[in-house]
């Protein structure tokens, strides 16, 4: 299970890493939103194989492309 | 003498043929469009800018060429208008924003260059959600775009003006862009045809990025034949966009002429109908009967669970979008609409590891989807928007949670297809209880647009939903 994202983390990241400060109210909304994304991808990533990488997508897209009907 | 309403009511294919054969001049066509925009667009707000003088001069030039026997291409003299994020060298593309309101571009998009080479004229820049970051057609800087079927309702977005202008008969076709559903949603909500092509089928060069990994350029038109004509004009390899490979563009007209006998159409037994209202479900069932009567075989098919795909797509999209905007968000946060700023700022806080995990799963998930769906059927048939098109007020920003629900309503059935990079076509097929259009979505194999056009064309040959026109 992914760890929980806190408002404090969002606030610190916003000011210390991104230089785009957030209000306390927006920080709370973002903590919830980011926590959901983080958890969902964290869980999905359990499906990853050691060799999965971003260019694998284009490889599949091209290799499995449609071939025109011959009839 | 052809009446102005008759001109603007023509399809793209028909008006192009009428100009080419000199039954009507390009100038007459442009004037008819401009008059209609002048008369009715104040209610719809589909244009950000109409380039009246420029397009009239271009029409005169097109007519002069024809008089000398010069035909520039299949779209000779036909006025089109496009989502205002297709760059033109030396001109402003606002991208629906305050920030780029005066920003002069130094390149011309490959799509516009190819349309111009085919003879098309540029009539104006169309309304869009600010920075293409919105699924409803709201815009704090240029006003909201109104659905021509009922102006209290949204058009869908982010190619809001493209859907609204085409169904309003202001232009014969319009380019939009589709990252998570931004062509398919307005096409469905406005009652026109809209293509999200395979990722890499049409060059992205010279357009505002929203999410590089998902961005596609797609036409919105009244008929499938029109959509195929625009697609064949702009598709194909482009050295300026290395994601566009050298894969030949098929003869879409021949594919449509071949019919759909024996083609296997899949109806999903999971995910896509989980939250669909009864009237939309019934309308889609009717559309399947029509397609079956045209000779296709209708089969049930089970896709992998697409909930993760939806979330992974959104994760990538937010991270890439905020990368484009971070510097402006530091310097000019006050110049973003709240709805747009709050749609993208989560990307600042998602770890890079999650972003790369989401990207690295894409190939695996595409292969799984291909095995589960396209080993069984040729084309998948699904809803586009699961419920009736909401009103502008319902879809306005009423806090983060409500906003996310509206966003989910508009994109849950389109985003997973974007994540997979597959082509998808939205086709009008009726009206819901509230009088707003309904569309179905056809999804195909990578670079399989020809099959989508064939199925949708067969459907339009047997129905007349695509000829319906709102009473402006």
């Amino acid at each position: 299970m992914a760890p929980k994202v806190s408002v404090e983390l969002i606030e610190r990241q916003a000011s210390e890493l991104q230089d785009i400060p957030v209000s306390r109210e927006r920080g709370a909304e973002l903590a919830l939103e980011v926590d959901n994304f983080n958890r969902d991808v964290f869980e999905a990533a359990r499906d990853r194989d050691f060799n999965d990488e971003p260019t694998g997508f284009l490889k599949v897209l091209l290799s499995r492309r449609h071939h025109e009907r011959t009839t | 003498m052809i009446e102005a309403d008759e001109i603007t009511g023509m399809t793209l294919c028909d008006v192009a043929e009428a100009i080419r054969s000199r039954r009507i001049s390009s100038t007459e066509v442009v004037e008819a469009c401009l008059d209609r925009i002048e008369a009715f667009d104040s209610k719809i707000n589909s244009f950000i800018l109409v380039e009246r003088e420029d397009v009239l001069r271009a029409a005169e030039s097109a007519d002069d060429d024809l008089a000398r026997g010069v035909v520039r291409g299949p779209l000779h003299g036909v006025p089109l208008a496009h989502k205002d994020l297709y760059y033109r060298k030396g001109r402003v593309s606002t991208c629906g924003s305050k920030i780029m309101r005066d920003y002069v571009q130094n390149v011309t998009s490959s799509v516009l260059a190819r349309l111009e080479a085919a003879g098309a004229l540029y009539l104006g820049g169309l309304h869009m959600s600010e920075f293409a970051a919105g699924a409803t057609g709201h815009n704090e800087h240029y006003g909201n775009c109104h659905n021509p079927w009922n102006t209290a309702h949204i058009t869908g977005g982010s190619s809001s003006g493209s859907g609204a202008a085409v169904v309003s008969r202001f232009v014969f076709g319009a380019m939009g862009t589709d990252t998570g559903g931004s062509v398919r949603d307005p096409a469905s909500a406005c009652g026109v045809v809209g293509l999200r092509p395979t990722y890499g089928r049409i060059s992205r060069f010279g357009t505002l990025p929203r999410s590089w990994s998902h961005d596609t350029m797609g036409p919105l038109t009244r008929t499938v034949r029109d959509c195929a004509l625009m697609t064949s004009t702009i598709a194909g390899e482009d050295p300026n966009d290395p994601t566009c490979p050298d894969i030949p563009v098929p003869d879409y007209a021949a594919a449509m002429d071949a019919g759909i006998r024996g083609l296997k159409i899949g109806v999903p037994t999971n995910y896509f109908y989980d939250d669909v209202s009864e009237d939309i479900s019934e309308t889609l069932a009717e559309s399947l009967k029509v397609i079956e009567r045209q000779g296709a075989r209708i089969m049930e098919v089970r896709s992998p669970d697409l909930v993760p795909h939806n979330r992974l797509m959104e994760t990538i999209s937010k991270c890439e979008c905020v990368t484009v905007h971070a510097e402006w968000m530091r310097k000019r946060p006050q110049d973003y609409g709240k709805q747009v700023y709050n749609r993208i700022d989560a990307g600042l806080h998602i770890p890079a590891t999650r972003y790369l995990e989401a990207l690295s799963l894409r190939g695996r998930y595409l292969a799984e989807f291909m095995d589960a769906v396209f080993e069984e059927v040729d084309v998948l048939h699904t809803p586009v928007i699961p419920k009736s098109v909401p009103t502008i007020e319902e879809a306005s920003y009423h806090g983060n949670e409500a906003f996310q629900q509206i966003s989910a309503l508009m994109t849950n059935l389109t985003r997973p297809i974007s994540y997979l990079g597959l082509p998808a076509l939205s086709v009008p097929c009726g009206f819901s209880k509230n009088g707003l259009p309904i569309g179905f979505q056809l999804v195909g194999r990578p670079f399989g647009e020809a099959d989508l056009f064939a199925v949708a064309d067969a459907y339009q040959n047997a129905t007349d939903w695509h000829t319906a026109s709102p009473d402006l």
Side-chain angles (χ1 to χ4, degrees):
Chain A
M1 189 69 172
K4 194 100 179 143
V5 176
S6 67
V7 183
E8 289 73 24
L9 174 71
I10 296 293
E11 287 177 332
R12 288 195 61 190
Q13 189 156 269
S15 61
E16 294 176 27
L17 285 180
Q18 302 290 7
D19 191 23
I20 302 177
V22 294
S23 66
R24 187 76 187 177
E25 184 190 10
R26 182 62 187 153
E29 289 174 345
L30 280 172
L32 192 62
E33 194 176 340
V34 172
D35 187 62
N36 286 335
F37 282 116
N38 194 52
R39 189 183 56 243
D40 290 348
V41 183
F42 192 93
E43 294 302 321
R46 294 184 196 279
D47 289 346
R48 281 190 76 254
D49 178 84
F50 190 73
N51 295 311
D52 284 334
E53 51 136 320
T55 60
F57 165 67
L58 284 178
K59 181 180 160 191
V60 178
L61 194 75
L62 295 174
S63 66
R64 304 288 294 267
R65 73 178 179 268
H66 175 262
H67 294 283
E68 285 182 67
R69 283 179 284 155
T70 51
T71 52
Chain B
M1 178 75 179
I2 303 178
E3 297 292 322
D5 281 355
E6 197 181 333
I7 294 172
T8 55
M10 287 179 173
T11 68
L12 173 63
C13 291
D14 287 346
V15 80
E17 200 283 321
I19 294 171
R20 222 169 25 243
S21 63
R22 301 184 67 188
R23 283 193 289 119
I24 187 171
S25 71
S26 173
T27 301
E28 287 173 285
V29 173
V30 167
E31 283 174 344
C33 291
L34 289 170
D35 288 349
R36 191 166 173 83
I37 293 164
E38 176 78 22
F40 299 115
D41 198 41
S42 56
K43 290 194 265 185
I44 308 300
N45 196 29
S46 66
F47 276 84
I48 287 179
L49 180 68
V50 177
E51 298 196 345
R52 185 181 181 87
E53 302 310 318
D54 286 351
V55 73
L56 282 168
R57 270 196 299 277
E60 273 181 42
S61 169
D63 288 334
D64 290 346
D65 274 2
L66 269 185
R68 297 199 319 273
V70 176
V71 179
R72 296 174 188 168
L75 299 174
H76 189 114
V78 178
L80 303 174
H82 310 294
K83 186 176 188 176
D84 200 25
L85 54 57
Y86 284 86
Y87 303 162
R88 292 175 301 152
K89 190 174 181 178
R91 300 291 188 110
V92 169
S93 301
T94 66
C95 302
S97 71
K98 184 176 180 182
I99 286 173
M100 294 182 78
R101 183 172 264 169
D102 303 312
Y103 189 91
V104 178
Q105 303 295 343
N106 60 7
V107 296
T108 295
S109 74
S110 294
V111 163
L112 291 196
R114 289 178 185 188
L115 288 171
E116 186 180 354
L121 312 182
Y122 186 93
L123 192 145
L126 292 171
H127 186 282
M128 56 181 286
S129 305
E130 181 183 359
F131 289 127
T136 59
H138 285 72
N139 189 306
E140 290 184 25
H141 311 298
Y142 298 91
N144 302 327
C145 196
H146 298 262
N147 195 306
W149 292 98
N150 181 337
T151 55
H153 288 254
I154 65 165
T155 54
S158 61
S159 308
S160 37
S162 305
V166 170
V167 81
S168 297
R169 275 62 176 150
F170 295 154
V171 284
F172 303 92
M175 288 303 300
T177 60
D178 190 311
T179 301
S182 286
V183 163
R184 290 163 285 168
D185 282 329
S188 180
C190 293
V192 298
V193 175
L195 174 70
R196 173 191 169 86
T198 307
Y199 183 77
R201 177 77 287 183
I202 297 174
S203 172
R204 297 170 294 121
F205 176 74
T207 59
L208 175 86
R210 167 78 169 83
S211 167
W212 312 286
S213 297
H214 302 112
D215 290 342
T216 60
M217 315 289 116
L220 294 93
T221 57
R222 290 170 219 154
T223 71
V224 176
R225 294 256 166 188
D226 292 350
C227 193
L229 174 60
M230 283 185 73
T231 304
S232 63
T233 303
I234 58 181
E237 186 187 18
D238 181 8
N240 282 319
D241 180 353
T243 63
C244 274
D246 180 17
I247 293 176
V249 179
D251 181 345
Y252 296 131
M256 289 185 283
D257 291 342
I260 58 171
R261 186 154 300 282
L263 213 61
K264 290 180 280 187
I265 310 296
V267 181
T269 57
N270 61 319
Y271 186 79
F272 287 96
Y273 282 91
D274 288 353
D275 199 27
V276 174
S277 64
E278 196 178 330
D279 55 342
I280 290 174
S281 187
E282 286 169 1
T283 301
L284 261 73
E286 284 301 315
S287 74
L288 283 163
K289 288 179 191 168
V290 173
I291 292 168
E292 187 171 34
R293 284 198 293 272
Q294 304 308 304
R297 288 171 55 196
I298 309 298
M299 305 166 63
E300 289 190 339
V301 66
R302 186 168 183 83
S303 93
D305 178 20
L306 296 177
V307 172
H309 303 57
N310 194 0
R311 299 296 288 165
L312 295 170
M313 186 276 168
E314 204 174 358
T315 300
I316 296 166
S317 180
K318 283 186 191 296
C319 292
E320 293 182 351
C321 190
V322 87
T323 306
V324 175
H325 289 278
E327 188 59 15
W328 287 329
M329 291 168 76
R330 274 179 207 108
K331 291 178 176 167
R332 301 176 62 176
Q334 74 283 0
D335 290 338
Y336 282 87
K338 183 175 183 183
Q339 193 179 94
V340 172
Y341 193 98
N342 285 4
R343 192 175 165 88
I344 61 181
D345 63 345
L348 292 164
H349 304 285
I350 295 170
T353 320
R354 297 293 97 77
Y355 167 68
L356 288 165
E357 285 167 347
L359 275 179
S360 66
L361 282 165
R362 239 180 142 191
R364 168 179 299 276
Y365 281 4
L366 174 58
E368 286 176 5
F369 190 85
M370 295 295 296
D371 290 343
V373 174
F374 290 117
E375 288 295 322
E376 305 296 322
V377 301
D378 298 302
V379 170
L380 189 66
H381 175 288
T382 81
V384 182
I385 303 170
K387 299 196 183 304
S388 298
V389 177
T391 64
I392 291 174
E393 171 55 23
E394 286 166 345
S396 293
Y397 192 87
H398 298 296
N400 215 42
E401 197 178 333
F403 181 54
Q404 285 177 13
Q405 283 172 5
I406 286 289
S407 178
L409 168 75
M410 298 301 289
T411 58
N412 273 355
L413 305 186
T414 53
R415 263 200 305 242
I417 306 305
S418 301
Y419 181 72
L420 297 170
L422 297 170
L425 188 70
S426 177
V427 183
C429 62
F431 293 86
S432 60
K433 283 178 186 163
N434 68 356
L436 273 293
I438 298 171
F440 62 76
Q441 174 175 236
L442 299 174
V443 182
R445 297 186 176 98
F447 299 91
E449 284 81 0
D451 278 352
L452 308 186
F453 289 143
V455 174
D457 182 60
Y459 177 78
Q460 289 197 333
N461 286 337
T463 57
D464 59 4
W465 298 113
H466 57 289
T467 65
S469 172
D471 187 14
L472 298 179

